[in-house]
Amino acid sequence: MKLRLPLRGCTIAPMGRLAQGDQLGPYRIIGPLDKGGMGEVYRAHDPRLGRDVAIKVIAENLTANEASRLRFEREAKAIAALSHPNIVSIFDVGVEGGSAFLVSELLEGRTLRDELGRGPLPMERVREWGSAVADGIAAAHLRGIVHRDLKPQNIFITSAGRVKILDFGLAQIHAAAGDSEKGQSEIATAALITEQGAILGTVGYMSPEQISGEVVGPPSDIFALGCVLYEMATGRSPFLRPTSTETLVAVLHATPQPPSEATPGVPRELDVIIDRCLRKNPSERYGSAVDLVFALRTGSEPAASAERSDREPKPSTRRRRLVWLTIAAVALIAVVAAIVLSKSKLAQNPLANARFVRLTDFEGTEQAAAISRDGRFVAFLADRDGPVDVWVTQVGSREFHKLTGGKLGELINPDIRTIGFSPDGALVAFWVRRKTASASPDISLWAVSTLGGEPRPYLEGAAEFDWSSDGSRLVYHTPGPGDPMFVRDGMAGPERRLFAAPEGVHNHYQLWSPDDEFIYFVHGSVPNENDVWRIEARGGEPQRVTSHNTRVTFPAFLDRNTLLYLATDADGSGPWLYALDVGQRKSRRISSGVERYTSLSASADGRRLAATVANPRRTLWRVPISDDVAEEQSASRVPVPIVGGRAPRVGSNYLLYVSSAHDAESIWKLAGGVASELWHLAEGRILGGPAIAPDGRIAFTAEESGRARMYVMNSDGSGVRMMPESLEPRGSPAWSPDGESIAVAAMVNGAPRLARVSMANQTVTAVVSEFAADPVWSSDGTTIIYSGLEVGTTFPIRAVRADGQGQPETKMTLSRGVRRVVFLPRQNSLVVLRGEMIHKNFWVIDLDSGRERRLTNFGPDFVVGGFDVAPDGSEIVFDREQENSDVVLIER
């Protein structure tokens, strides 16, 4: 079933029996879409649900062919039995006037074949799209379904960037190991089991055993996907020859040239992956599509088949699924990568021989995983049922229990450890932010029995905590300025203040050392300028332990000499998993590949760890500004021809944005559907987003080799020049409406202050002497709005006159997260993000009257990042982060 949509403006040639306005069952035909050997595809409207769909109608000359009709019905039943984001969804099937038809979701975009018409794909696309197809095929294989016709024409890339597998018309239904007799009858018996020995498929993608008419199973799909991967990487098929006969002979006997030799730039590890997929002997290919996912996402080979022998399917559906999840865990993490040897005690990866098991396979996101001291229980946050709740599982039980009911308040705070256990593991404690009548929310730690029950206050007024190894002493911090840390004996003992940071600096992730002599913690500016520090439990001066000056989180001890933690690179990639030799104070990264760790916790003996691993994606979107509140369906994705985008800025007829790939960051310009790279940073990161002057000049800040600088360039990327070298900028700059000066936050005595840079002579003038960040000019150029010092989980919005003389009164407070605010054109109104720290919606605030109006109503999985307002005030363009993550158990 090929659901390729014609490009706008193209004329569609008539192709069949149905015309616009014809009725097929309840569906009204709109027009033709495509035509293939199995039939014709039409666009139609479903009046019952008010949506457009795609309808595939079996070819007239096949209507009387019983075998063809059965294959057609099998396609419907096979796909309907699946529910996977990378497989096309089937809505309905029926027969009308002698014509059998299949109703599916209507996809907008292009097939992979169309994409390959432009030549080889970037390697990140090969990995991303290839692993998505493998993910979908793995789900099909789990239900005993073999596709048998994987090829670029049957792989669709939607306009939103989602990969969809199409056309299960040749699918073969096997008796899936472990499926119940009743459940299997719903799939195989009703759909009919395909006869063995039938040679069906597409020349050039069929496996050797498929060509030979032998038994076909999951390895055949892996072979076909290897052909597709080869073509994605090189732009040509590995076996295609001038005639079909020559092609079949090549599949059976020829060894294709390695992709890296065929196309420069293809990494060696992709040669290895594709070679294994294309082995002539099915037993020499990947043991499962899940193993292929692992290899594509990490660049590493999965464990040998012998090492997985204890995870073969068992005779029950539930057990079989858990087996699959166990194998799939490897696809999420890659800590077993080869490590460069050194003289340090950390020369060997402390997790090199660990076993990785994915504990969750929920829809949505899991985060903040914590493991009890005895390693028996794992607690985490998840939005499985809609609202984010605290969940717990006993390791090995395969059961999950929700401990909260979604009514306590906000539970997510990405900058702290939000979940922990009592020393005996009887209680799960968690961070709560509750709304109050005052401007400051109530922040406390609550707890609930691991076995379930009513949540109760645990440490009121505290934000994070940790117990000493003997369970007698407690360290915690409050959400006040500088995050003051306290130590006390037990829950009721007198508290002793240990340390507080300067205003605007934070102390998070407190952790006792195994000998209880030190308290380790993360110290710095939230969220991206932190390091691990430590202080003696009896008091004294804190000592710096690491030197990342990036986002550092979740320290966890394996033993008294080894501390694990998460940290990003200077370019913002990660977070990665690091190991620190406490004695030598030397650390190094021990994770590899593309996995991203978002939380980490260890049992008391360091033999078990719980982590969350995610594969985030940032895309650009737009939503109109109107008198009505815009729902999710009003937002549409902005297609860009490279991987992801963030920090958009809207010009008169174009869009600027920042994109990251590998270790590089770039500023891109999208105009008339064509994207061009304006500026490239090979190593480092772009801070915030670019700013557009009235005459089109662009200002931006970037950090390279640990030093931040501000640059200005022309609208086409030419004439790049650095602004005053003495300036140490932070975050996004902002042009004055007359284009004569730039406001930017600059570091002064270790904290950001608001500065104004003259374009005439490049002089720098201090505007305010207090903490200031994220400036934006009013439309008339008289006022600069900026964000003030963060206290707890909120920060104020302040104003200053552009000449620095006087500060207009503002009474606006926003929650931690995205700090950017934008003036509506020619109005004294601000567009802001309000809500929880993760999930926020757009609001507009009239600064004259104080009136507020909500602009959007996005769901909890719609996480908004940077944004801008179009010059005419018609729409907001923003970046959206989508983070699918799972909890993983690591056993040493």
Side-chain angles (χ1 to χ4, degrees), residues 8 91 98 156 226 289 306 333 377 446 484 503 519 550 577 579 617 695 743 771 804 829 831 879:
R8 292 179 182 175
F91 299 147
F156 199 90
I333 43 186
F377 295 96
W446 284 55
E503 286 191 343
I519 293 168
T550 61
L577 185 60
R617 179 186 182 90
D695 62 2
F771 182 101
S829 298
V831 176
D879 65 69

Side-chain angles (χ1 to χ4, degrees), residues 175-176 229 273 308 349 422 477 489-490 527 661 694 737 779 868:
L229 290 169
I273 292 170
R308 298 193 306 271
N349 183 346
S422 60
H477 79 82
D489 294 334
S779 300
D868 198 19

Side-chain angles (χ1 to χ4, degrees), residues 345 520 534 545 560-562 580-586:
K345 292 181 181 179
Y520 285 72
R534 73 178 186 181
V545 178
R560 62 185 304 158
N561 297 315
T562 308
L580 169 75
D581 185 314
V582 173
Q584 298 186 24
R585 297 196 189 182
K586 293 182 179 179

Side-chain angles (χ1 to χ4, degrees), residues 485 498-499 511 513 515 517-523 531-537 539-546 557 560 563 580-585:
M485 295 194 301
L498 187 64
F499 172 69
L511 179 72
S513 61
D515 60 9
E517 293 295 318
F518 288 92
I519 293 168
Y520 285 72
F521 60 101
V522 172
H523 174 80
D531 268 294
V532 177
W533 290 58
R534 73 178 186 181
I535 189 171
E536 291 187 43
E541 290 297 317
Q543 309 162 13
R544 188 170 185 165
V545 178
T546 65
F557 273 101
R560 62 185 304 158
L563 179 75
L580 169 75
D581 185 314
V582 173
Q584 298 186 24
R585 297 196 189 182

Side-chain angles (χ1 to χ4, degrees), residues 585-730:
R585 297 196 189 182
K586 293 182 179 179
S587 62
R588 65 186 179 86
R589 178 175 159 184
I590 62 172
S591 64
S592 63
V594 297
E595 80 284 5
R596 172 180 165 182
Y597 288 82
T598 55
S599 70
L600 183 70
S601 175
S603 61
D605 60 8
R607 297 183 64 84
R608 277 182 171 174
L609 298 95
T612 48
V613 184
N615 186 17
R617 179 186 182 90
R618 271 193 163 178
T619 50
L620 299 178
W621 292 70
R622 55 171 31 107
V623 65
I625 298 176
S626 67
D627 294 335
D628 299 322
V629 177
E631 302 292 335
E632 270 187 35
Q633 57 267 29
S634 300
S636 59
R637 184 171 169 183
V638 180
V640 295
I642 59 173
V643 178
R646 63 174 175 85
R649 300 293 186 265
V650 188
S652 57
N653 56 0
Y654 61 90
L655 178 69
L656 298 183
Y657 60 95
V658 177
S659 183
S660 304
H662 303 296
D663 294 329
E665 292 210 324
S666 304
I667 296 176
W668 287 73
K669 184 176 185 178
L670 181 66
V674 178
S676 55
E677 187 181 58
L678 300 184
W679 191 80
H680 180 85
L681 181 63
E683 293 183 358
R685 55 177 176 157
I686 296 170
L687 305 177
I692 304 172
D695 62 2
R697 286 174 296 167
I698 300 167
F700 60 95
T701 60
E703 184 178 73
E704 191 173 11
S705 302
R707 177 65 193 273
R709 295 178 172 87
M710 186 168 72
Y711 300 87
V712 172
M713 63 183 176
N714 298 327
S715 60
D716 61 357
S718 64
V720 179
R721 59 193 183 280
M722 186 173 68
M723 300 308 287
E725 190 170 358
S726 59
L727 186 71
E728 190 176 354
R730 282 292 181 269

Side-chain angles (χ1 to χ4, degrees), residues 135-191:
D135 250 344
I137 289 300
H141 291 173
L142 182 65
R143 298 299 302 270
I145 299 171
V146 181
H147 190 284
R148 296 202 301 178
D149 197 23
L150 274 179
K151 55 187 176 182
Q153 294 93 318
N154 287 341
I155 298 170
F156 199 90
I157 315 299
T158 72
S159 56
R162 173 76 73 182
V163 176
K164 295 279 189 177
I165 303 171
L166 311 178
D167 207 337
F168 278 72
L170 301 184
Q172 187 173 59
I173 315 300
H174 294 264
D179 278 336
S180 67
E181 182 178 347
K182 178 181 178 181
Q184 190 56 41
S185 67
E186 296 173 357
I187 304 172
T189 305

